[in-house]
Amino acid sequence: MQFTVYEMQTNIAKIEAGIGIECIQFDERFFEEYKRIYNECFYEMRKSLDIKPFCFLSDYKQIQDKSKYIFLLMDNDRLVGSVACYGNEVDDLFVDKKYQG
């Protein structure tokens, strides 16, 4: 059996309680913003690896069957990121560039 482990770290010394970020189940009404942030976040990686199309996500049908596994990170009514969880696998974790750092 083989395990691959990754560790994520933040440079924020303390994360305050009640910062207003909420995690909700994917909702189709946020798809256009989800698509924009997704493509923006993965564009450079896909381009540098020559994975075409560079802007992969274009239609809701591409994620429709997986949407029950996708969670949105919301700051009030603003989509700021997302993560997909398939069993014990974390996939498509991204944060809007305006919220990174």
Side-chain angles (χ1 to χ4, degrees):
M1 181 177 288
Q2 180 180 353
F3 291 95
T4 303
V5 178
Y6 297 94
E7 180 179 3
M8 295 189 313
Q9 298 179 356
T10 179
N11 61 358
I12 300 172
K14 180 180 177 184
I15 298 176
E16 298 177 25
I19 57 173
I21 303 294
E22 180 182 12
C23 182
I24 64 169
Q25 186 76 41
F26 184 86
D27 187 321
E28 188 177 351
R29 67 189 163 122
F30 293 106
F31 176 73
E32 288 302 318
E33 187 66 2
Y34 176 89
K35 177 178 74 172
R36 181 192 67 76
I37 298 169
Y38 180 99
N39 285 330
E40 183 179 276
C41 287
F42 290 108
Y43 179 84
E44 288 301 323
M45 177 194 70
R46 293 179 68 87
K47 184 176 178 184
S48 67
L49 296 172
D50 198 31
I51 300 171
K52 295 177 182 173
F54 300 144
C55 289
F56 169 74
L57 191 55
S58 61
D59 191 295
Y60 177 66
K61 292 176 185 175
Q62 291 174 274
I63 63 166
Q64 186 172 10
D65 293 341
K66 300 177 183 181
S67 65
K68 66 182 177 182
Y69 304 107
I70 299 173
F71 300 91
L72 306 176
L73 304 172
M74 306 295 296
D75 184 4
N76 295 310
D77 289 333
R78 180 176 170 85
L79 176 64
V80 298
S82 180
V83 63
C85 299
Y86 307 104
N88 62 356
E89 177 185 343
V90 173
D91 194 21
D92 292 339
L93 171 64
F94 61 88
V95 175
D96 189 333
K97 290 187 177 199
K98 296 172 193 164
Y99 280 76
Q100 292 179 14

